[in-house]
Structure formats: structure tokens, C-alpha cells
Amino acid sequence: MAAAKAKAKKKAPAKAAKKAPAKKAAPAKAKAKAAPAKPAKFVSVATGDVVTMKQLATDLAALHELPKKQAEAVMSDLIAHITKHIKRGAKVRVPGFGILMVKKTSARMGRNPATGETIKIPAKKKVAFRVSKDLKAAVL
């Protein structure tokens, strides 16, 4: 009988060892089920030839799961900051998009096309945009 008990003791731990991997595998399956599904293909709300800032904000809100008002606030703050920096003369470089800057034009002489009279065109400043190579390659 002592030999039978010794065999039983040897078999019992072997059965426990076989069950242990099965318990570890069960939580792994639960994690796989908890993984989020891939999002559907994004479709823009913008239609037509002109896309407004509000439409861009709505698209960003949908992409990043934000409230529309928060996305609109981010867009308006971005434009306000870009305007502030351009106004003081800094160049604003947005990688993959381009560079916004202020250019100064010098005073020059021109002609009135209706009368042919020469007129003086004053010096002024204008906002210029230089397209990045990446954007140019993507569009053209």
C-alpha cells in the first residue's frame, strides 16, 4: 500500500502541472477580446470645393475622439498663435505643410493701365506662404 500511495503522490503533482498552463492561457484570451477593434475608414464631413475651419475641426474631433467644441477651440488657438508670431515677423514652419512669413515689398513706380500715367506704388508688407516639398509631392 505504501507503494500505491507513493505513486498517487507522484501522479497528483503531475496533474497539477498540466492544469497550470491552461489557467494562464485563459486570461490571455480575455485580453485578446478586450483589444479594441480597428476603426472604420475615415470619411470627411467636408463636401464641395471649399473646406471651412469648422469642417476641419469636426473631422479632427472624429479622428481623435474629441468633442467638436474642443477641436474647434484647438483650431482657433492654433490660428491665433500663428497670427501672433507672423505679426511680430517670425517665420512659422509647419513640417509637411510649409512656411508662413511676412515679406516686405519695396516702393516702386507703376503705370495706371487706364490712362498710362505713371504712379508711385508704396512699400508694404504681405503674408507669404512657401509650400513644403512633401505637400507639393503629395498634391502634384
Side-chain angles (χ1 to χ4, degrees), residues 44-128:
S44 177
V45 296
T47 57
D49 293 338
V50 178
V51 179
T52 64
M53 187 176 82
K54 194 167 190 164
Q55 290 171 330
L56 288 173
T58 304
D59 288 348
L60 286 174
L63 277 172
H64 297 285
E65 298 175 359
L66 295 171
K68 288 181 188 178
K69 291 209 178 218
Q70 187 177 3
E72 287 176 19
V74 169
M75 290 287 292
S76 62
D77 287 347
L78 174 70
I79 290 172
H81 275 72
I82 289 173
T83 303
K84 180 178 75 174
H85 288 293
I86 289 174
K87 194 172 185 178
R88 67 168 214 232
K91 290 182 180 179
V92 178
R93 185 180 317 248
V94 182
F97 187 64
I99 301 171
L100 286 155
M101 65 190 119
V102 174
K103 281 196 173 181
K104 296 176 183 175
T105 59
S106 58
R108 62 190 193 278
M109 297 302 290
R111 287 200 180 268
N112 182 342
T115 62
E117 178 186 4
T118 59
I119 56 172
K120 183 177 180 184
I121 302 171
K124 54 183 156 179
K125 295 192 283 184
K126 62 181 182 178
V127 177

